């Protein structure tokens, strides 16, 4: 077998003395994603990570799709390797890319000679291959500016590699390089997108979900676990900390002003998420808040919710409108699950006239009637931890 997958690194190449740490994390993450598809050798040279199958029974199609979801790779290419000989390269192009060459109307050849001992330079090799392909495919026209197909030939240390137009990779930074954070995961559209965006910046995530049975159903809980499962090909394995939230919501309804119910509920969520962060070694919280989208997402409301923790709070979708968020949710595959009609704990006891501009002082005054520490302890002690693995 001489097919191989190349991961072309993105912003990792801009890293300085610690660049190797990023490359090793990328290789580690790629290896964990590939175990379902066979045995592979993974190594990095000259800003390229090579994914080489070690047996003929490897599932190359599955491996290729999995590699497109590994953060850190800007482009993903399925290639044919061959000897570093111009005629061997031409034969590899004709064999490997024949269907694409026949389907394209225009083409060009781009060559890269990383091995400077190869006798032809990049331009000479491209001219030779382009001329031969022009003769072999008379219906195919050369176009140096906007070709339907670009034939890439890379002469590297161990072999030459041939591929067509690359597929877009996930980009970003390898998961784990940015530290660990706790993401508040609801059943809506925004929080899975926020989680994905922060994983793309290298964060390893712990997920927290607030479950208010019997006001929210087991189907609603399963919906959130399904969302976590959809995210795992991007994020790696996840733990969802399912928090029993019913008692807190009922106590808030009994003891606090109705117009502050939602913001006080959010303050308890942030306290619990911060405690989960402390127990898991996480250094930040992630939410799906978008400025002005709902009453609890005004600037004043977000100040009140953030006041209960000293941890940084990342709100990656805060400046996006709903259409932008939906576009990403469709891309990452969470949208159809997010819109399933199962209730969320945030819809329980919704106030008729929520306060749009609450202050920290009035929130603290309302909470003075509560045994906050006991309520938090009961909720945290009742957490169910569900492990989600890549399938």
């Amino acid at each position: 077998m001489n097919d191989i997958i190349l991961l072309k690194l993105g912003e990792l190449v801009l890293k300085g003395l610690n660049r190797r740490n990023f490359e090793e994390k990328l290789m580690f993450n790629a290896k964990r994603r590939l175990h379902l598809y066979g045995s592979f050798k993974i190594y990095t040279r000259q800003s390229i990570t090579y994914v080489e199958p070690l047996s003929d029974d490897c599932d190359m199609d599955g491996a290729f799709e999995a590699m497109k979801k590994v953060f850190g790779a800007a482009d993903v290419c399925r290639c044919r390797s061959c000897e570093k000989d111009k005629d061997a390269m031409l034969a590899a192009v004709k064999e490997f890319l024949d269907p694409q060459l026949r389907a394209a109307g225009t083409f060009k050849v781009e060559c890269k000679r990383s091995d400077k001992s190869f006798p032809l330079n990049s331009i000479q090799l491209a001219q030779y291959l382009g001329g031969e392909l022009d003769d072999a495919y008379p219906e195919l026209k050369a176009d140096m500016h906007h070709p339907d197909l670009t034939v890439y030939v890379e002469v590297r240390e161990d072999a030459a590699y041939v591929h067509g137009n690359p597929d877009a990779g996930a980009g970003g930074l390898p998961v784990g390089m940015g530290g660990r954070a706790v993401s508040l995961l609801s059943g809506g559209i925004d929080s899975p997108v926020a989680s994905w965006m922060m994983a793309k910046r290298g964060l390893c995530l712990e997920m927290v979900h607030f479950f208010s049975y019997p006001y929210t159903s087991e189907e609603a809980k399963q919906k959130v676990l399904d969302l976590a499962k959809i995210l795992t090909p991007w994020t790696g394995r996840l733990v969802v900390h399912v928090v029993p939230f019913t008692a807190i919501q009922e106590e808030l309804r009994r003891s606090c002003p109705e117009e502050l119910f939602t913001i006080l509920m959010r303050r308890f969520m942030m306290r619990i998420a911060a405690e989960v962060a402390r127990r898991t070694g996480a250094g930040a919280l992630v939410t799906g808040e978008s400025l002005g989208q709902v009453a609890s997402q005004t600037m004043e409301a977000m100040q009140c919710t953030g006041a209960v923790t000293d941890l940084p709070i990342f709100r990656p979708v805060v400046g996006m409108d709903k259409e932008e968020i939906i576009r990403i949710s469709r891309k990452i595959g969470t949208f159809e699950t997010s819109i399933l009609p199962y209730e969320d704990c945030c819809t329980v006891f919704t106030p008729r006239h929520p306060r749009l501009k609450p202050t920290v002082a009035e929130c603290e005054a309302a909470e003075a009637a509560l045994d906050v520490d006991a309520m938090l302890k009961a909720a945290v002690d009742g957490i169910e931890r569900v492990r989600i693995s890549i399938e």
Side-chain angles (χ1 to χ4, degrees), residues 311-328:
L311 291 176
I313 301 172
F314 298 142
R315 300 178 172 98
V317 303
V318 70
M320 293 184 178
D321 62 33
K322 202 66 177 184
E323 288 303 314
E324 292 173 301
I325 299 170
I326 288 173
R327 186 160 55 247
I328 296 175

mmCIF file of all heavy atoms in Angstrom, residues 311-328:
data_model
loop_
_atom_site.group_PDB
_atom_site.id
_atom_site.type_symbol
_atom_site.label_atom_id
_atom_site.label_comp_id
_atom_site.label_asym_id
_atom_site.label_seq_id
_atom_site.Cartn_x
_atom_site.Cartn_y
_atom_site.Cartn_z
ATOM 1 N N LEU A 311 -12.672 33.117 38.118
ATOM 2 C CA LEU A 311 -12.147 32.468 36.917
ATOM 3 C C LEU A 311 -12.446 33.300 35.673
ATOM 4 O O LEU A 311 -13.499 33.950 35.593
ATOM 5 C CB LEU A 311 -12.764 31.081 36.751
ATOM 6 C CG LEU A 311 -12.359 30.009 37.769
ATOM 7 C CD1 LEU A 311 -13.150 28.731 37.502
ATOM 8 C CD2 LEU A 311 -10.873 29.728 37.702
ATOM 9 N N PRO A 312 -11.562 33.280 34.683
ATOM 10 C CA PRO A 312 -11.900 33.905 33.395
ATOM 11 C C PRO A 312 -13.122 33.212 32.789
ATOM 12 O O PRO A 312 -13.281 31.996 32.919
ATOM 13 C CB PRO A 312 -10.663 33.648 32.531
ATOM 14 C CG PRO A 312 -9.576 33.257 33.469
ATOM 15 C CD PRO A 312 -10.225 32.661 34.677
ATOM 16 N N ILE A 313 -13.975 33.998 32.145
ATOM 17 C CA ILE A 313 -15.157 33.450 31.475
ATOM 18 C C ILE A 313 -15.023 33.750 29.985
ATOM 19 O O ILE A 313 -15.000 34.911 29.566
ATOM 20 C CB ILE A 313 -16.452 34.063 32.025
ATOM 21 C CG1 ILE A 313 -16.564 33.793 33.529
ATOM 22 C CG2 ILE A 313 -17.669 33.491 31.297
ATOM 23 C CD1 ILE A 313 -17.707 34.527 34.196
ATOM 24 N N PHE A 314 -14.912 32.704 29.193
ATOM 25 C CA PHE A 314 -14.803 32.855 27.745
ATOM 26 C C PHE A 314 -16.194 32.766 27.135
ATOM 27 O O PHE A 314 -16.923 31.797 27.365
ATOM 28 C CB PHE A 314 -13.900 31.769 27.156
ATOM 29 C CG PHE A 314 -12.483 31.811 27.652
ATOM 30 C CD1 PHE A 314 -11.791 30.633 27.900
ATOM 31 C CD2 PHE A 314 -11.828 33.013 27.870
ATOM 32 C CE1 PHE A 314 -10.480 30.654 28.357
ATOM 33 C CE2 PHE A 314 -10.522 33.049 28.322
ATOM 34 C CZ PHE A 314 -9.846 31.867 28.572
ATOM 35 N N ARG A 315 -16.532 33.785 26.338
ATOM 36 C CA ARG A 315 -17.824 33.849 25.651
ATOM 37 C C ARG A 315 -17.565 34.009 24.148
ATOM 38 O O ARG A 315 -17.731 35.109 23.601
ATOM 39 C CB ARG A 315 -18.658 35.003 26.188
ATOM 40 C CG ARG A 315 -18.976 34.921 27.684
ATOM 41 C CD ARG A 315 -19.758 36.139 28.138
ATOM 42 N NE ARG A 315 -20.255 36.033 29.500
ATOM 43 C CZ ARG A 315 -19.674 36.557 30.574
ATOM 44 N NH1 ARG A 315 -18.518 37.229 30.435
ATOM 45 N NH2 ARG A 315 -20.208 36.412 31.774
ATOM 46 N N PRO A 316 -17.177 32.954 23.451
ATOM 47 C CA PRO A 316 -16.708 33.109 22.076
ATOM 48 C C PRO A 316 -17.765 33.563 21.081
ATOM 49 O O PRO A 316 -17.422 34.096 20.029
ATOM 50 C CB PRO A 316 -16.187 31.707 21.718
ATOM 51 C CG PRO A 316 -16.873 30.794 22.670
ATOM 52 C CD PRO A 316 -17.043 31.567 23.927
ATOM 53 N N VAL A 317 -19.060 33.366 21.382
ATOM 54 C CA VAL A 317 -20.097 33.785 20.433
ATOM 55 C C VAL A 317 -20.731 35.108 20.854
ATOM 56 O O VAL A 317 -21.764 35.491 20.308
ATOM 57 C CB VAL A 317 -21.186 32.696 20.258
ATOM 58 C CG1 VAL A 317 -20.567 31.390 19.800
ATOM 59 C CG2 VAL A 317 -21.991 32.489 21.534
ATOM 60 N N VAL A 318 -20.122 35.815 21.787
ATOM 61 C CA VAL A 318 -20.766 36.991 22.370
ATOM 62 C C VAL A 318 -21.087 38.070 21.330
ATOM 63 O O VAL A 318 -22.077 38.791 21.460
ATOM 64 C CB VAL A 318 -19.897 37.578 23.509
ATOM 65 C CG1 VAL A 318 -18.625 38.222 22.956
ATOM 66 C CG2 VAL A 318 -20.683 38.559 24.377
ATOM 67 N N GLY A 319 -20.293 38.169 20.284
ATOM 68 C CA GLY A 319 -20.520 39.199 19.275
ATOM 69 C C GLY A 319 -21.180 38.692 18.008
ATOM 70 O O GLY A 319 -21.288 39.435 17.022
ATOM 71 N N MET A 320 -21.669 37.453 18.012
ATOM 72 C CA MET A 320 -22.279 36.872 16.821
ATOM 73 C C MET A 320 -23.793 37.017 16.845
ATOM 74 O O MET A 320 -24.405 36.998 17.916
ATOM 75 C CB MET A 320 -21.952 35.379 16.720
ATOM 76 C CG MET A 320 -20.500 35.066 16.471
ATOM 77 S SD MET A 320 -20.289 33.282 16.257
ATOM 78 C CE MET A 320 -18.536 33.207 15.922
ATOM 79 N N ASP A 321 -24.386 37.147 15.669
ATOM 80 C CA ASP A 321 -25.842 37.063 15.610
ATOM 81 C C ASP A 321 -26.245 35.602 15.418
ATOM 82 O O ASP A 321 -25.403 34.717 15.220
ATOM 83 C CB ASP A 321 -26.424 37.961 14.512
ATOM 84 C CG ASP A 321 -25.969 37.578 13.110
ATOM 85 O OD1 ASP A 321 -25.759 36.383 12.844
ATOM 86 O OD2 ASP A 321 -25.835 38.480 12.271
ATOM 87 N N LYS A 322 -27.540 35.344 15.489
ATOM 88 C CA LYS A 322 -28.008 33.957 15.492
ATOM 89 C C LYS A 322 -27.675 33.236 14.198
ATOM 90 O O LYS A 322 -27.343 32.039 14.212
ATOM 91 C CB LYS A 322 -29.521 33.926 15.733
ATOM 92 C CG LYS A 322 -30.028 32.604 16.273
ATOM 93 C CD LYS A 322 -29.479 32.333 17.675
ATOM 94 C CE LYS A 322 -30.028 31.064 18.276
ATOM 95 N NZ LYS A 322 -29.556 30.860 19.657
ATOM 96 N N GLU A 323 -27.737 33.922 13.081
ATOM 97 C CA GLU A 323 -27.448 33.269 11.811
ATOM 98 C C GLU A 323 -25.999 32.799 11.735
ATOM 99 O O GLU A 323 -25.705 31.726 11.192
ATOM 100 C CB GLU A 323 -27.776 34.205 10.640
ATOM 101 C CG GLU A 323 -29.264 34.410 10.409
ATOM 102 C CD GLU A 323 -29.994 33.089 10.178
ATOM 103 O OE1 GLU A 323 -29.486 32.262 9.398
ATOM 104 O OE2 GLU A 323 -31.052 32.883 10.799
ATOM 105 N N GLU A 324 -25.099 33.607 12.276
ATOM 106 C CA GLU A 324 -23.689 33.196 12.291
ATOM 107 C C GLU A 324 -23.487 31.946 13.146
ATOM 108 O O GLU A 324 -22.742 31.035 12.781
ATOM 109 C CB GLU A 324 -22.826 34.336 12.816
ATOM 110 C CG GLU A 324 -22.742 35.541 11.908
ATOM 111 C CD GLU A 324 -22.019 36.700 12.563
ATOM 112 O OE1 GLU A 324 -22.458 37.185 13.629
ATOM 113 O OE2 GLU A 324 -20.992 37.122 12.010
ATOM 114 N N ILE A 325 -24.153 31.920 14.299
ATOM 115 C CA ILE A 325 -24.030 30.768 15.189
ATOM 116 C C ILE A 325 -24.633 29.528 14.549
ATOM 117 O O ILE A 325 -24.054 28.431 14.595
ATOM 118 C CB ILE A 325 -24.696 31.076 16.544
ATOM 119 C CG1 ILE A 325 -24.008 32.264 17.218
ATOM 120 C CG2 ILE A 325 -24.657 29.861 17.454
ATOM 121 C CD1 ILE A 325 -24.735 32.789 18.446
ATOM 122 N N ILE A 326 -25.793 29.683 13.913
ATOM 123 C CA ILE A 326 -26.441 28.552 13.248
ATOM 124 C C ILE A 326 -25.562 28.016 12.125
ATOM 125 O O ILE A 326 -25.460 26.796 11.925
ATOM 126 C CB ILE A 326 -27.827 28.970 12.709
ATOM 127 C CG1 ILE A 326 -28.802 29.152 13.882
ATOM 128 C CG2 ILE A 326 -28.359 27.938 11.719
ATOM 129 C CD1 ILE A 326 -30.145 29.714 13.480
ATOM 130 N N ARG A 327 -24.905 28.902 11.396
ATOM 131 C CA ARG A 327 -24.043 28.462 10.302
ATOM 132 C C ARG A 327 -22.934 27.539 10.824
ATOM 133 O O ARG A 327 -22.638 26.504 10.217
ATOM 134 C CB ARG A 327 -23.448 29.676 9.590
ATOM 135 C CG ARG A 327 -22.657 29.314 8.345
ATOM 136 C CD ARG A 327 -22.509 30.513 7.421
ATOM 137 N NE ARG A 327 -21.921 31.664 8.088
ATOM 138 C CZ ARG A 327 -22.574 32.799 8.323
ATOM 139 N NH1 ARG A 327 -23.842 32.936 7.945
ATOM 140 N NH2 ARG A 327 -21.965 33.813 8.907
ATOM 141 N N ILE A 328 -22.340 27.895 11.950
ATOM 142 C CA ILE A 328 -21.295 27.041 12.522
ATOM 143 C C ILE A 328 -21.896 25.733 13.040
ATOM 144 O O ILE A 328 -21.317 24.660 12.879
ATOM 145 C CB ILE A 328 -20.538 27.775 13.642
ATOM 146 C CG1 ILE A 328 -19.801 28.981 13.072
ATOM 147 C CG2 ILE A 328 -19.551 26.830 14.335
ATOM 148 C CD1 ILE A 328 -19.118 29.836 14.120
#
